[in-house]
Amino acid sequence: MTLAATTLAAGAAPLALDVQLKIGQPFVVGLLQGSVYGLIGLGLVLLYKSNRIFNFAQAEFGTVAGISAYLGLNGKLFHIPWHMPYAVACIIGVAIGTLTAVLTERLVVRPLFDRPKVILVVGTVGVLLLLIALESLVFPEGKSLPAFNNPKQGVFRSLTDPAARLGFAHYNLQWEQILTLVTLVVLALATVAFFRYSRNGTAILAVSQEPVAAQTVGISVSRISLITWTLAGFLGSVAGILVLAGSAVVSPGVVTGTTLVGGITAAVLGGVTSLPGAFVGGLLVGLLQAYAGTFLTQFPGSESVAVGVVLLLVLLVRPQGLLGREA
Amino acid sequence: MSLLEVEELRTGYGALPVLQGISFSVEEGQTAVMFGLNGAGKTTTVNALAGLLPIWSGDVRLDGKSLKGLDAPKIVAAGIGLSPEGRRVFPALSVLTNLRLGAWTRKSAGRKQADDTIARVFEYFPRLEERKDQLAGTMSGGEQQMLAIGRAIMSRPRILMIDEASLGLSPKLAQTVFQVVSQINDDGTTVVIVEQNVGVLPYADQALIMEKGTITYDGSGADLEKSGDLRKTYLGDASDLH
Ligand SMILES: Nc1ncnc2c1ncn2[C@@H]1O[C@H](COP(=O)(O)OP(=O)(O)OP(=O)(O)O)[C@@H](O)[C@H]1O
Ligand SMILES: [Mg+2]
């Protein structure tokens, strides 16, 4: 009796741990990846609301930011290497990524403003390809951006991971992940609040709904367009740096390759015009991918397939998106 | 000097001219009504005055100051408000937000003044107050027209222009709208209305008729009522068929 109980307990313990790991780890990983999708989706929805187009260059602003940050951290000018402080390099990266979006607005979007939307969309694809080409020119491939708490270069050097791990369902969260998650959620909430409560946020909605009427009340459509692209560029740049810091190898087109499809799916799940919807959509996509990758290991590519199936289901059953209202 | 002076105004779309150099003026405190067949160029005229279309040549002066070259936001700030053709309320925003957006150019005047103006709009159109939290796109056509006019007076314009005030409204509601507009006029705002409904004539101090990009009648509303020109414009005479 006692023996049986012990055996059972001994047999059950590792199983329980394994199940918890299988639930806990994908949860964290999925949430993290998902909030990046959410942030990219947020930028897409933002521009969709104001220009009624999908901006295919959205995630690439993030690559530009990541490469700029890397070059700030470990760059060379006339063969003299420099090392900016980590935080400074990141700020410069975000600034350059945002500037790229501003230039896109001025040089591509503005001149094509009154043309059919399809042409504008193709314009953003052109920007994406051009950016990838430029990145290839200035950036030697295969380098990676150090983590925030990298002991040599990070901005939070003292947060050494092994000693300072936080447990969650037997999965050890790293500081890197916590910081990323907090930043992403704060940014998402700030964006939603901007639309709900700020004057410019309301003006963006007004321009997207009735551009002519927006002019008749005295809103400058071109100023609003610039504000929108600045904001979208900022969101894309931050998302890019968060994706690249401490994990992926920085290479031309990398953020587009890893997040654009997820971001578009997030936006569509959210109904294309809903900001909270896009963020929640992003979380769902991330979680779905992570759990599919954990539990459906016998089917290669199950992560993408699961996302595709859910995307189709939502389009068929709830085309207005999960939250289903413009906000 | 008239409050609004339009002199040899020419404009159009792309390379296509629509207004062939029109001139008219409107005195302060009056209500001017512009009639004309479809495609005559009425919307083109008010849109050009509002800065939605560039002025090719000629001039537009408000209180003696030229508005030529100013964009729409500057013209609103200078004192011309437009309730555009087709109403164009912001459909997914509430009635109240629509009105607040109308005061966009008066940011420096502060929230208190905006609230006062909103209260005035609600006096003109009590229906808007009852529905102030409703999404504008879900309102009836008549209510949307009220909102479009209310939104246009939120900028406290010296001249209120309304393009097609009564289109799609029942005769009774059209009369109500005309009465409110005449009240707005009595309260000191000069009014320019584009209209196809002759029911507006009793409210018109001045009447204009537009045909093919030119002004063919400019005189008092009472004279027009007597002259039969309006009848000719709308019902046509035999020569128009050829
Ligand atoms: N966006 C545009 N592009 C090209 N031509 C236009 C445009 N808008 C109007 N037009 C043309 O300009 C002329 C005048 O149109 P406008 O809208 O000013 O007429 P209207 O008097 O307001 O007519 P309605 O009573 O039907 O509103 C018409 O021949 C019309 O086809
Ligand atoms: Mg018209």
Side-chain angles (χ1 to χ4, degrees):
Chain A
M1 191 72 157
T2 325
L3 187 69
T6 317
T7 323
L8 195 69
L15 185 78
L17 181 65
D18 184 50
V19 166
Q20 287 203 13
L21 246 182
K22 272 197 160 177
I23 299 204
Q25 179 162 346
F27 187 75
V28 173
V29 172
L31 222 50
L32 267 169
Q33 188 64 29
S35 50
V36 172
Y37 294 154
L39 213 56
I40 297 290
L42 223 52
L44 289 171
V45 167
L46 190 64
L47 292 178
Y48 183 81
K49 280 164 105 67
S50 71
N51 296 77
R52 296 284 148 180
I53 57 158
F54 257 117
N55 169 30
F56 279 84
Q58 180 63 23
E60 205 50 24
F61 299 145
T63 315
V64 171
I67 288 181
S68 307
Y70 178 86
L71 291 177
L73 209 52
N74 296 312
K76 269 196 215 131
L77 194 65
F78 303 118
H79 300 285
I80 306 166
W82 73 44
H83 301 284
M84 292 179 185
Y86 193 92
V88 175
C90 286
I91 290 170
I92 288 183
V94 170
I96 293 181
T98 308
L99 185 69
T100 310
V102 170
L103 289 176
T104 304
E105 198 273 343
R106 286 282 121 144
L107 303 178
V108 180
V109 177
R110 182 71 53 85
L112 300 177
F113 223 73
D114 297 324
R115 308 289 295 282
K117 297 296 175 203
V118 163
I119 295 188
L120 252 180
V121 173
V122 174
T124 70
V125 175
V127 170
L128 167 64
L129 297 176
L130 180 71
L131 288 177
I132 292 179
L134 290 177
E135 290 156 11
S136 314
L137 275 180
V138 299
F139 193 71
E141 284 199 41
K143 297 285 176 20
S144 69
L145 195 63
F148 299 109
N149 55 351
N150 179 292
K152 280 236 291 284
Q153 288 197 306
V155 65
F156 298 120
R157 263 163 266 190
S158 51
L159 297 179
T160 44
D161 264 322
R165 282 186 168 190
L166 291 158
F168 174 83
H170 291 271
Y171 175 70
N172 287 320
L173 272 176
Q174 292 165 1
W175 282 112
E176 170 87 29
Q177 299 173 319
I178 294 169
L179 190 72
T180 304
L181 204 57
V182 170
T183 313
L184 289 167
V185 170
V186 167
L187 268 182
L189 290 178
T191 309
V192 173
F194 169 78
F195 268 98
R196 289 265 165 90
Y197 306 111
S198 87
R199 216 172 110 83
N200 280 324
T202 314
I204 293 177
L205 297 182
V207 170
S208 77
Q209 292 168 20
E210 272 296 345
V212 172
Q215 280 180 284
T216 68
V217 300
I219 296 172
S220 160
V221 172
S222 93
R223 190 175 142 266
I224 290 300
S225 167
L226 192 62
I227 293 178
T228 316
W229 279 82
T230 306
L231 200 62
F234 177 77
L235 292 176
S237 300
V238 173
I241 290 206
L242 292 174
V243 172
L244 296 176
S247 47
V249 164
V250 182
S251 59
V254 60
V255 182
T256 296
T258 53
T259 67
L260 187 63
V261 171
I264 290 180
T265 311
V268 173
L269 285 188
V272 194
T273 53
S274 161
L275 293 162
F279 198 75
V280 173
L283 296 180
L284 285 181
V285 174
L287 289 173
L288 201 64
Q289 274 190 349
Y291 282 110
T294 308
F295 288 105
L296 305 174
T297 39
Q298 62 274 41
F299 308 112
S302 58
E303 303 174 18
S304 321
V305 173
V307 171
V309 167
V310 169
L311 179 61
L312 282 178
L313 278 179
V314 169
L315 282 176
L316 289 174
V317 180
R318 266 191 83 81
Q320 72 275 44
L322 294 173
L323 301 191
R325 103 192 155 85
E326 183 146 350
Chain B
M1 186 177 55
S2 311
L3 181 59
L4 177 70
E5 293 169 308
V6 178
E7 194 182 295
E8 288 298 315
L9 173 65
R10 288 183 69 252
T11 188
Y13 303 89
L16 174 82
V18 173
L19 300 186
Q20 331 264 4
I22 60 167
S23 303
F24 65 94
S25 51
V26 179
E27 304 298 323
E28 174 138 36
Q30 303 232 294
T31 295
V33 179
M34 184 181 278
F35 296 100
L37 290 178
N38 299 112
K42 308 178 298 292
T43 298
T44 307
T45 305
V46 289
N47 283 356
L49 299 189
L52 299 176
L53 280 175
I55 293 174
W56 291 0
S57 69
D59 202 3
V60 175
R61 285 186 295 274
L62 178 68
D63 218 1
K65 275 193 243 79
S66 172
L67 302 178
K68 204 174 169 180
L70 299 189
D71 59 6
K74 291 215 179 70
I75 287 178
V76 177
I80 295 187
L82 171 66
S83 166
E85 184 171 50
R87 289 137 199 177
R88 299 191 181 269
V89 297
F90 302 117
L93 297 174
S94 72
V95 168
L96 205 55
T97 308
N98 268 268
L99 291 177
R100 287 209 180 286
L101 280 165
W104 180 261
T105 55
R106 300 193 65 85
K107 185 186 171 196
S108 57
R111 196 165 172 107
K112 168 80 177 68
Q113 200 199 60
D115 288 344
D116 288 350
T117 318
I118 288 177
R120 221 172 92 192
V121 171
F122 287 163
E123 273 171 37
Y124 291 136
F125 299 112
R127 182 80 69 89
L128 293 181
E129 182 162 26
E130 290 161 24
R131 305 187 163 257
K132 62 182 194 290
D133 297 317
Q134 189 172 334
L135 292 185
T138 64
M139 298 211 300
S140 76
E143 290 161 350
Q144 290 190 17
Q145 183 65 66
M146 296 176 195
L147 179 56
I149 295 173
R151 185 180 62 189
I153 57 180
M154 284 303 296
S155 66
R156 298 201 167 195
R158 298 188 65 189
I159 299 181
L160 169 66
M161 302 192 295
I162 305 171
D163 196 347
E164 307 277 16
S166 72
L167 188 70
L169 305 192
S170 70
K172 186 155 167 285
L173 191 53
Q175 281 304 318
T176 310
V177 168
F178 294 153
Q179 274 157 17
V180 173
V181 171
S182 118
Q183 203 183 328
I184 294 171
N185 180 234
D186 290 343
D187 292 343
T189 308
T190 305
V191 174
V192 175
I193 310 181
V194 169
E195 197 44 82
Q196 310 260 20
N197 180 344
V198 292
V200 74
L201 256 182
Y203 303 94
D205 300 304
Q206 179 186 359
L208 298 156
I209 296 182
M210 193 156 209
E211 274 174 53
K212 298 182 186 132
T214 59
I215 290 190
T216 55
Y217 179 93
D218 183 352
S220 82
D223 285 350
L224 181 66
E225 224 173 343
K226 276 180 269 161
S227 77
D229 277 18
L230 200 59
R231 197 185 148 74
K232 209 172 88 198
T233 300
Y234 281 110
L235 302 178
D237 56 26
S239 66
D240 278 358
L241 297 172
H242 302 287

